[in-house]
Amino acid sequence: MAKKQAKKQATTQDFTKYVRLFWKLFLGGVLAFILLFVLTSMFGDLPDHTILENPKTNLATEIISSDGKTLGKFYFNDNRTPVSYDELPQHLVDALIATEDARFHSHSGIDARGTLRAIVKLGKGGGASTISQQLAKQLFHGEGSKNTIARILQKAKEWIIAIRLERQYTKEEIIAQYFNIYDFGNNGDGIRSASRIYFGKEPMELDIKESAMLVGMFKNSSLYNPRPERNPIGVRNRRNVVLAQMEKYDFINEKLKDSLQKLDLGLRYSPESHREGTATYFREYLRAFMKDWTNEKGNRKPDGTKYNINSDGLKVYTTIDSRMQLYAEDAVEKHMPRLQAEFFHQNTPKRNPTAPFLDLSKSAVDSLLQKAMSRGERWRILKKAGKTEKEIRASFYKPTKMSVFAWKDGKASEVDTIMKPIDSMRYYKSFLHTGMMSMNPQTGHVKAWVGGINYKYFQYDHVKQGKRQVGSTFKPFIYATAIDQLHLSPCDELPNTQITIEANKFGNPEPWTPRNSDNKYGGVRTLKNALANSINTITARLMDKVGPQPVVDLVRKLGVESEVLPVPSIALGTPDVSVYEMVGAYSAFANQGVYTKPVMVTHIEDKNGTILYQFTPESRDVLSEEVAYVTVNLMQGVTQSGSGARLRTRGADAYRKDYKEIITGYPYEFKNPIAGKTGTTQNQSDGWFMGMVPNLVTGVWVGAEDRAAHFASITYGQGAAMALPIWGMYMRSCYENEELEISKSDFEKPKNLSIEVDCANYKQDQGSDSDTPGEDVPEDLDF
């Protein structure tokens, strides 16, 4: 009995002992927890209410097309554009919760169950960080410390901030913030950038397996980098773990999980940088526009500081249509490799020792390359590194490993090679470039902008920066001036004979006697026939009647700011003008004589949607409706029977055999009214085509970097072969997309047109029934 009582007493004492130990441990833990929070507050700053409301994250400026697509972004370190919870697909959210925090909806920032499990198993059973804690770490702490005490304090901070986040935001807002803040690698800052870079989609367009891959990257975006050359197998395995977690928590069924796990990643990796992607040349123009805008004193933040286009999350709404931009870029990429192949064929060293400078001596070519050498990036870098001029020049003659641009299988490519830098310069001098701009003439909205063949290798913008001789595309300005001053009809006739404008007339220092490119003269030509076939003698006669100054005055009113001297030779297109200026000027013809300044930006918003800038249209009456319409009617003759008539036909059959390589595969067959003008400069250096329909004006230029580089003959070296095909392919694509509503109608005719444009009626009025003398010339042999 005594033993039983002793045993019972001992048991009671043990129980009491354990109870006391429990309470000691419990109270000690509570006190330690409180002390930890106190120490955390004492030895480190915690974000206050306002910081939690406005966490400091850099937001990229987003460039948005007129049809609501993102063309690109401006950013320095963070390519981040936040999205709301409503812009996330449910399966993306499910994948995150299943993988990172299964009890997310039942805790208040700290998962007690997970924390206890982590303590008992010393972290071997997995971590206990909730999504809220991970967001707290991303927003306010960054990388963890290696010091144990510091790690404990940091974890306590995360708990406090997580609890505050849960009080401050809804669960949905926390999830959206977490997706927006995470760095998915390869400039994929936030879910929107990541989904665009890895899959070419907006987040809402992601499918389940794509969502699972992106969520899998939360474990370690560097280790699970999906780029093909990095860790595709590991990424796929990690994605499958996420899919398994989704099945475990009943977000998907087993059958769907098994089928998805068998699929490839389905990547469409498209890096976002200022040198790659869509509308690269336009985006660089826009960068300069935004820099000027932020520098204006009237465009300041409420605190008086300047906006930073790389980090303030501005939204720039542009007039560019993403579909039309892609059609324009596609047309350039289809045509330019084929034209380039012919140019290389004509300019091989075997055929031409001074390729691509056909008519320069070897010494002249060497001199040109030496000048280019001293202006290049290589020279600048070596000079900065302290190299002497002799050492720098010598380096240009040493074979070096390099990657060069090339058209390969009809696509822009990089080719690794070994080449002397001096030879690479000669190689690049052989490349043909292009500038193209498309604009609505009524609104001034620029719909497409292609400044060159490849921005990564050729940064010079041939839309607005580049200015080249415009050739016969300048002639409509002379015709418009003559129609305005002399009330001429397209059916009026002038003799096709040489004319000399005397010295000192119009300030011309010497007599000027232009020739026709084919040296054929005789008979008379109607104005419509003469413009259609670029007859120089007729344009010179019009210049002699009106004088150059009124023409210069007209082009000034039409927005041409480049230097245009008031001399007779401008009649044949000697001025250097940009594609941007030419498209703006031609637009007035299609807009009933009203010039509307090209517009690229409609408005700018800050990250909260407040409008900071709203464009104001700039327009002015330049020509009467009648003069504009008659000039358009003249230019319609170019595509009906003149140098642009190939737009009405299909393929190469209608042309000389030697056109076949260029024309085959370009079936246009346009039936609708088109006004236009081709242009070719001296020695076949520059090719132009300006084309118009009632609600779209598009200009295209093609040529080499140096004017001395040119085609050997007119066969390929004319606007109709160099530039017109780009216009044709672009317009075909635009017409195939009926949503764009590109007009196929005729140009609007003024109600009280006093000038007769129908030559059959004109002949009856003149009492003549004879055909117009003069020979139609199907080639664009104009200078």
Side-chain angles (χ1 to χ4, degrees):
M1 188 72 178
K3 287 183 178 180
K4 285 183 178 180
Q5 288 180 344
K7 188 174 181 180
K8 185 176 180 181
Q9 186 176 1
T11 301
T12 302
Q13 289 175 345
D14 288 342
F15 177 75
T16 303
K17 178 181 176 181
Y18 284 124
V19 170
R20 287 175 178 171
L21 180 61
F22 169 78
W23 282 107
K24 285 180 180 179
L25 290 173
F26 178 76
L27 292 173
V30 171
L31 289 172
F33 194 74
I34 294 172
L35 179 62
L36 187 61
F37 273 62
V38 171
L39 288 171
T40 300
S41 300
M42 289 175 61
F43 294 105
D45 294 329
L46 288 171
D48 62 19
H49 174 85
T50 58
I51 294 177
L52 288 175
E53 276 291 324
N54 300 287
K56 292 182 179 179
T57 55
N58 291 330
L59 302 178
T61 286
E62 188 176 6
I63 305 164
I64 303 170
S65 69
S66 62
D67 56 320
K69 301 296 183 181
T70 298
L71 296 173
K73 299 176 186 177
F74 298 136
Y75 61 91
F76 183 66
N77 289 321
D78 291 342
N79 177 24
R80 195 181 316 281
T81 304
V83 296
S84 66
Y85 182 83
D86 294 338
E87 296 175 273
L88 301 174
Q90 186 59 48
H91 52 71
L92 179 66
V93 176
D94 294 341
L96 177 68
I97 291 174
T99 308
E100 298 291 328
D101 190 355
R103 286 177 290 279
F104 175 71
H105 287 291
S106 61
H107 64 65
S108 298
I110 300 174
D111 182 3
R113 231 169 104 189
T115 301
L116 184 61
R117 183 195 69 231
I119 292 172
V120 171
K121 295 187 177 183
L122 300 177
K124 293 181 180 179
S129 288
T130 64
I131 291 174
S132 302
Q133 286 174 254
Q134 293 179 50
L135 175 60
K137 183 177 181 179
Q138 289 282 330
L139 282 172
F140 303 107
H141 290 298
E143 296 299 322
S145 172
K146 294 182 179 180
N147 182 285
T148 303
I149 301 294
R151 282 206 309 272
I152 293 173
L153 291 176
Q154 183 166 306
K155 182 59 69 175
K157 278 189 179 182
E158 289 175 16
W159 285 341
I160 297 172
I161 298 170
I163 292 171
R164 289 189 184 180
L165 286 170
E166 291 271 354
R167 290 176 180 173
Q168 199 72 33
Y169 300 104
T170 65
K171 291 285 187 179
E172 290 77 13
E173 288 171 333
I174 288 172
I175 283 179
Q177 284 193 54
Y178 189 47
F179 273 116
N180 285 327
I181 199 68
Y182 191 72
D183 180 0
F184 290 86
N186 303 308
N187 291 325
D189 300 311
I191 188 63
R192 184 150 187 257
S193 293
S195 60
R196 285 170 55 84
I197 288 170
Y198 295 124
F199 298 109
K201 298 179 176 181
E202 293 297 320
M204 188 56 82
E205 299 170 331
L206 294 169
D207 61 30
I208 296 176
K209 65 178 175 57
E210 293 165 345
S211 292
M213 190 210 83
L214 291 171
V215 167
M217 295 178 71
F218 279 113
K219 186 176 180 71
N220 187 325
S221 61
S222 179
L223 176 62
Y224 298 109
N225 187 328
R227 286 174 59 181
E229 69 272 18
R230 297 295 292 274
N231 184 18
I233 296 176
V235 172
R236 180 173 174 175
N237 292 339
R238 177 62 186 163
R239 178 204 67 182
N240 289 348
V241 168
V242 175
L243 291 169
Q245 287 294 105
M246 293 180 74
E247 188 264 333
K248 176 181 176 180
Y249 291 102
D250 297 324
F251 289 116
I252 59 175
N253 59 42
E254 184 178 6
K255 182 178 179 181
L256 180 57
K257 179 206 72 174
D258 291 340
S259 64
L260 291 175
Q261 285 181 334
K262 294 176 183 178
L263 298 175
D264 291 332
L265 294 175
L267 285 177
R268 284 189 292 169
Y269 180 64
S270 177
E272 287 190 346
S273 73
H274 73 283
R275 290 192 173 192
E276 297 169 294
T278 304
T280 45
Y281 290 92
F282 173 75
R283 279 154 42 198
E284 199 57 29
Y285 156 78
L286 194 61
R287 186 190 300 277
F289 174 92
M290 290 300 297
K291 183 179 179 181
D292 291 341
W293 181 82
T294 58
N295 283 333
E296 292 179 11
K297 291 183 179 180
N299 303 325
R300 292 286 191 269
K301 297 181 185 178
D303 62 4
T305 60
K306 291 198 303 184
Y307 283 99
N308 187 322
I309 66 170
N310 294 316
S311 61
D312 281 335
L314 301 176
K315 289 189 175 182
V316 184
Y317 290 86
T318 72
T319 61
I320 297 293
D321 186 293
S322 68
R323 299 158 295 184
M324 297 172 75
Q325 180 67 31
L326 287 174
Y327 298 154
E329 292 177 2
D330 184 61
V332 167
E333 192 165 40
K334 282 181 178 177
H335 177 64
M336 293 305 292
R338 301 171 71 175
L339 188 66
Q340 187 67 56
E342 179 56 33
F343 193 67
F344 278 141
H345 178 72
Q346 292 185 16
N347 288 285
T348 58
K350 290 182 179 178
R351 285 187 175 82
N352 171 27
T354 61
F357 308 104
L358 296 169
D359 43 17
L360 295 183
S361 66
K362 187 176 182 305
S363 61
V365 173
D366 289 341
S367 175
L368 188 150
L369 292 176
Q370 291 296 321
K371 290 178 181 177
M373 184 189 298
S374 61
R375 295 193 299 265
E377 185 71 5
R378 182 183 184 87
W379 185 286
R380 187 188 66 78
I381 292 173
L382 293 177
K383 187 75 174 177
K384 190 175 181 180
K387 300 292 183 182
T388 66
E389 184 174 320
K390 184 178 180 181
E391 290 173 324
I392 296 173
R393 290 190 182 278
S395 73
F396 278 85
Y397 294 89
K398 295 177 181 178
T400 305
K401 287 183 179 180
M402 63 178 71
S403 295
V404 297
F405 172 82
W407 291 113
K408 190 175 181 181
D409 299 325
K411 298 290 183 181
S413 306
E414 286 184 334
V415 176
D416 293 330
T417 186
I418 297 176
M419 189 183 292
K420 296 176 184 177
I422 191 71
D423 291 335
S424 72
M425 289 173 58
R426 185 189 296 269
Y427 170 72
Y428 279 128
K429 292 287 187 185
S430 299
F431 273 95
L432 297 171
H433 303 275
T434 188
M436 175 184 181
M437 190 177 105
S438 192
M439 167 181 158
N440 181 304
Q442 286 77 40
T443 64
H445 288 190
V446 175
K447 311 308 293 182
W449 178 307
V450 183
I453 56 174
N454 185 277
Y455 185 78
K456 183 176 181 180
Y457 279 90
F458 309 101
Q459 277 96 53
Y460 193 75
D461 176 28
H462 292 285
V463 169
K464 205 163 192 294
Q465 283 181 298
K467 297 182 179 183
R468 297 293 284 263
Q469 282 191 353
V470 291
S472 290
T473 57
F474 199 83
K475 288 178 179 176
F477 303 132
I478 289 87
Y479 278 73
T481 304
I483 293 166
D484 185 37
Q485 287 191 9
L486 307 174
H487 205 69
L488 296 176
S489 163
C491 310
D492 279 320
E493 299 174 341
L494 290 175
N496 179 23
T497 55
Q498 283 193 291
I499 178 176
T500 297
I501 296 180
E502 299 173 358
N504 299 320
K505 187 175 183 180
F506 310 126
N508 201 41
E510 297 178 354
W512 182 61
T513 307
R515 64 178 181 83
N516 289 334
S517 57
D518 59 0
N519 282 317
K520 293 180 179 178
Y521 308 94
V524 294
R525 297 264 187 170
T526 63
L527 296 188
K528 193 164 189 175
N529 177 281
L531 184 64
N533 296 291
S534 280
I535 305 301
N536 292 339
T537 55
I538 303 297
T539 311
R541 288 184 179 278
L542 292 176
M543 176 60 77
D544 188 45
K545 291 177 181 291
V546 301
Q549 189 60 56
V551 177
V552 173
D553 294 340
L554 173 63
V555 297
R556 285 279 175 267
K557 293 175 184 176
L558 292 173
V560 176
E561 297 179 353
S562 299
E563 183 179 41
V564 180
L565 299 176
V567 295
S569 60
I570 62 173
L572 305 189
T574 54
D576 288 353
V577 185
S578 69
V579 172
Y580 172 87
E581 292 171 305
M582 289 296 287
V583 173
Y586 265 64
S587 293
F589 295 131
N591 193 31
Q592 299 175 306
V594 179
Y595 169 77
T596 301
K597 186 176 180 179
V599 177
M600 282 69 76
V601 177
T602 58
H603 63 286
I604 301 170
E605 293 179 358
D606 67 11
K607 64 182 179 181
N608 299 315
T610 303
I611 295 179
L612 305 174
Y613 164 85
Q614 189 90 39
F615 95 98
T616 303
E618 294 183 39
S619 62
R620 55 179 172 266
D621 293 338
V622 178
L623 297 166
S624 68
E625 288 186 29
E626 185 172 60
V627 171
Y629 178 78
V630 173
T631 306
V632 167
N633 181 271
L634 282 167
M635 287 191 281
Q636 284 182 282
V638 174
T639 67
Q640 291 166 349
S641 61
S643 53
R646 65 191 65 188
L647 290 172
R648 306 293 182 187
T649 62
R650 181 181 182 85
D653 295 340
Y655 301 98
R656 297 199 304 254
K657 186 177 180 181
D658 51 8
Y659 276 111
K660 190 172 183 180
E661 289 182 45
I662 291 288
I663 302 300
T664 298
Y666 297 158
Y668 311 115
E669 296 187 298
F670 293 116
K671 307 297 183 185
N672 56 290
I674 298 170
K677 187 68 192 82
T678 54
T680 309
T681 61
Q682 195 71 28
N683 291 335
Q684 301 82 240
S685 296
D686 304 270
W688 289 78
F689 184 71
M690 303 295 301
M692 302 188 296
V693 295
N695 65 350
L696 195 66
V697 177
T698 305
V700 184
W701 165 86
V702 174
E705 175 187 327
D706 285 279
R707 299 168 198 250
H710 58 88
F711 274 102
S713 71
I714 200 70
T715 302
Y716 297 103
Q718 57 171 298
M722 293 170 75
L724 179 144
I726 293 174
W727 190 94
M729 286 186 284
Y730 167 69
M731 289 299 292
R732 273 179 59 90
S733 297
C734 287
Y735 279 130
E736 286 170 1
N737 188 338
E738 295 182 359
E739 292 182 0
L740 297 176
E741 298 182 340
I742 305 303
S743 175
K744 290 186 177 180
S745 302
D746 205 345
F747 294 86
E748 186 176 350
K749 187 176 182 179
K751 293 180 180 179
N752 299 311
L753 183 65
S754 64
I755 298 176
E756 182 60 67
V757 295
D758 185 322
C759 291
N761 293 337
Y762 179 86
K763 289 176 184 177
Q764 289 180 357
D765 292 340
Q766 297 295 315
S768 169
D769 57 359
S770 62
D771 292 332
T772 301
E775 176 189 4
D776 284 344
V777 184
E779 296 88 13
D780 177 26
L781 304 178
D782 56 322
F783 295 102

